[in-house]
Amino acid sequence: MTDTAVKVDDLWKVFGPKASKIPGSPDGALSREELRDKTGCVAAVKDVSFEVKRGEVFVVMGLSGSGKSTLVRCLTRLIEPTAGRVVIDDHDVLKMSESSLRRLRRNHVAMVFQHFGLLPHRRVIDNIAYGLEVRGVGRKDRHARASEILDLVGLTGNAMSYPDQLSGGMQQRVGLGRALAVDPSLLLFDEPFSALDPLIRRDMQNEVIRLHHEVRKTMIFITHDLQEALKLGDRILIMRDGEVVQVGTPDEVVGAPADGYVRDFVSEVPKSHVLTLKWVMRPPSDGDALDGPELPPTTVVQKAARLVLDSDKPIKVVEDGRLLGIVTDEDILRVIVAEDTVQESGAA
């Protein structure tokens, strides 16, 4: 088994007449509006390629209509792709028979949606155990597994409750528990928290981070919220009009936006909360003291600020014993002052 959990190559989803003729044709190069005007077709997903590493949280982000939800549904053929290739755990999804596809959905992939989709007439423990029931697992064994998951997702004591007795956040925990109960290799989240109140949403984001650290599942997370993407993602794919605009780590997206579209997206992000020292360090000059404290280049600026500002010597940025650069209080303050200026102009 390779280190790649999901591999997507040249994926298209075109809606409209003679959709299959669009990928690879001259019309495929048209903008979304031009294509619709000329052919009556809409390219919801247009020539998208990416890889997701095993154990990674990979976030797909874009505004409404960008194609992100269509993309995630194409991965397991809930929506049938028009062209391209999708490989999950070394299985070519687009070549699967219907029976093989059902096994993939039951045994390897689980989805968590914005709308919880809980069974209202069943108690929490049976909602969580539902996927195991579909697999044919006996009642005793599936309840034992569901009881473990109840504790894992913070629902201890709620096994015998019905969904309508729970808050929105707790209902989403049931949905998350149902996905985890079948022990999938891949979890797909389609804007699962967008209907929740801000405080509950933040708690659920923290819950995903905690669960990822505990269970180490590969996760693809769809969102329209940049702050959510930056908080959750090991890497982020940004979509616009069905196409990939940029793929990178949170600090790469904020520190080196691919174009004006991404630059506008990240313009009000508190950069000290996202950028790492590799973005603010500089080569040492003659006369710089090189006996100060050491930090790795992946240290976030905000977390390094206190040490840098309190030190009377430059901080050494070191990786694998190699000096990459130095950071002084001036380098840190440059980021923080620029950040305050953006916030003040936004408030004005």
Side-chain angles (χ1 to χ4, degrees):
M1 189 175 286
T2 67
D3 189 46
T4 301
V6 180
K7 191 173 191 301
V8 175
D9 291 318
D10 309 320
L11 190 68
W12 288 75
K13 178 57 190 177
V14 183
F15 295 97
K18 299 181 180 179
S20 62
K21 297 186 179 300
I22 301 301
S25 74
D27 287 342
L30 298 174
S31 71
R32 182 176 279 185
E33 293 75 15
E34 290 170 336
L35 180 66
R36 184 175 57 239
D37 292 343
K38 181 178 180 182
T39 69
C41 292
V42 174
V45 175
K46 184 177 179 179
D47 199 20
V48 168
S49 299
F50 62 90
E51 292 186 13
V52 181
K53 301 172 186 174
R54 204 168 298 282
E56 181 178 29
V57 179
F58 187 86
V59 174
V60 179
M61 196 210 85
L63 298 177
S64 178
S66 64
K68 58 190 184 300
S69 290
T70 303
L71 171 62
V72 76
R73 283 166 168 76
C74 284
L75 299 183
T76 57
R77 288 170 57 190
L78 292 175
I79 293 177
E80 197 69 35
T82 306
R85 186 165 179 258
V86 177
V87 178
I88 296 177
D89 289 338
D90 301 325
H91 300 292
D92 192 329
V93 177
L94 272 61
K95 292 182 178 179
M96 284 182 169
S97 65
E98 286 298 323
S99 58
S100 296
L101 192 56
R102 282 195 297 271
R103 284 195 295 273
L104 176 80
R105 293 170 181 165
R106 286 181 181 177
N107 301 325
H108 296 284
V109 182
M111 288 196 72
V112 182
F113 296 96
Q114 174 183 341
H115 303 292
F116 316 129
L118 304 182
L119 301 171
H121 60 289
R122 292 196 173 198
R123 298 183 188 274
V124 165
I125 193 165
D126 290 309
N127 267 282
I128 289 179
Y130 180 71
L132 298 172
E133 182 179 348
V134 170
R135 283 190 191 177
V137 177
R139 188 173 188 275
K140 181 179 179 181
D141 290 339
R142 67 177 184 258
H143 274 201
R145 171 65 175 164
S147 294
E148 295 174 6
I149 297 298
L150 276 166
D151 296 337
L152 182 65
V153 298
L155 287 171
T156 305
N158 290 281
M160 304 310 290
S161 300
Y162 286 97
D164 64 1
Q165 296 173 312
L166 304 178
S167 67
M170 292 179 75
Q171 288 183 39
Q172 193 56 286
R173 287 175 187 266
V174 178
L176 186 55
R178 181 176 56 192
L180 289 169
V182 297
D183 195 25
S185 59
L186 174 65
L187 278 164
L188 304 177
F189 296 83
D190 188 9
E191 301 207 59
F193 310 143
S194 60
L196 300 177
D197 292 337
L199 290 178
I200 299 174
R201 182 172 186 162
R202 185 185 65 191
D203 289 343
M204 290 305 299
Q205 291 167 354
N206 292 335
E207 190 72 5
V208 168
I209 293 170
R210 180 185 69 80
L211 286 170
H212 183 251
H213 288 155
E214 289 194 25
V215 300
R216 304 306 302 179
K217 298 291 184 186
T218 306
M219 299 178 178
I220 298 180
F221 196 102
I222 307 299
T223 184
H224 65 270
D225 186 310
L226 177 63
Q227 294 294 347
E228 186 166 73
L230 295 172
K231 182 175 182 177
L232 297 179
D234 294 315
R235 287 187 301 142
I236 300 168
L237 182 154
I238 298 177
M239 293 186 72
R240 177 183 58 204
D241 293 341
E243 298 183 76
V244 176
V245 180
Q246 183 170 3
V247 180
T249 59
D251 61 308
E252 288 170 344
V253 169
V254 172
D259 62 9
Y261 178 76
V262 181
R263 192 173 298 111
D264 287 344
F265 251 127
V266 303
S267 62
E268 296 186 15
V269 171
K271 291 183 169 50
S272 66
H273 294 226
V274 181
L275 294 183
T276 57
L277 293 185
K278 74 177 184 181
W279 294 95
V280 300
M281 67 184 185
R282 59 178 176 81
S285 304
D286 291 341
D288 283 327
L290 297 179
D291 55 346
E294 296 182 4
L295 286 174
T298 54
T299 308
V300 175
V301 168
Q302 183 196 39
K303 294 183 178 179
R306 177 59 61 86
L307 178 62
V308 175
L309 295 175
D310 285 349
S311 177
D312 58 355
K313 297 177 180 178
I315 301 298
K316 294 188 293 182
V317 182
V318 176
E319 184 176 47
D320 297 329
R322 185 166 59 95
L323 178 64
L324 302 181
I326 62 170
V327 177
T328 65
D329 52 1
E330 181 181 337
D331 302 313
I332 294 292
L333 290 171
R334 189 179 301 116
V335 175
I336 295 174
V337 169
E339 183 175 284
D340 289 342
T341 301
V342 169
Q343 291 173 346
E344 287 172 5
S345 64

